[in-house]
Amino acid sequence: MVYAQLEASIWYFGEKAGLDFRSGAPVPLFDGQLSTKEGCSVISDANGSLLFYTDGSDVWNKNHAVMDNGTGLLGYFSSTQSAIIVPKPQSSDTHYIITSWQSDGINY
């Protein structure tokens, strides 16, 4: 029996590009909304269904719409790692977005 952790099976990056690895082979995605040179993050649920993604400045939901209060994050689109998404321990519905930029430091 194989158990996969599918939370990282969908990637969005670059100029509205993405990849879906749920089938085992990468499948191109063309529905992403971010436009970034580097420093983006994506999280899916345990079944591999997209939850949300960010470039460190804005956050888009699974429908590719900006989330409520999803703008003005303190990351920078051209920081090497402007944002990471960290699930809250023992919670399947709470996540932290941690952003960084040299003038604003590290924020969540």
Side-chain angles (χ1 to χ4, degrees):
M1 192 175 285
V2 176
Y3 293 97
Q5 294 179 344
L6 299 174
E7 290 90 346
S9 60
I10 296 177
W11 298 1
Y12 284 104
F13 55 90
E15 297 296 321
K16 299 185 178 184
L19 292 171
D20 182 341
F21 291 93
R22 290 178 290 180
S23 69
V27 175
L29 298 171
F30 304 100
D31 54 358
Q33 296 302 302
L34 61 80
S35 177
T36 185
K37 296 179 182 180
E38 53 192 337
C40 48
S41 191
V42 184
I43 191 77
S44 297
D45 66 18
N47 297 315
S49 298
L50 178 66
L51 294 174
F52 60 92
Y53 56 102
T54 181
D55 61 2
S57 297
D58 299 311
V59 183
W60 292 268
N61 65 21
K62 65 183 179 182
N63 298 314
H64 310 287
V66 174
M67 294 177 73
D68 290 341
N69 300 312
T71 61
L73 278 67
L74 297 176
Y76 184 65
F77 77 96
S78 190
S79 294
T80 302
Q81 189 59 58
S82 65
I84 60 170
I85 300 169
V86 179
K88 181 179 179 181
Q90 281 119 39
S91 174
S92 62
D93 62 353
T94 301
H95 297 76
Y96 298 103
I97 299 174
I98 301 169
T99 63
S100 66
W101 188 29
Q102 72 184 58
S103 65
D104 289 315
I106 297 172
N107 296 276
Y108 71 96

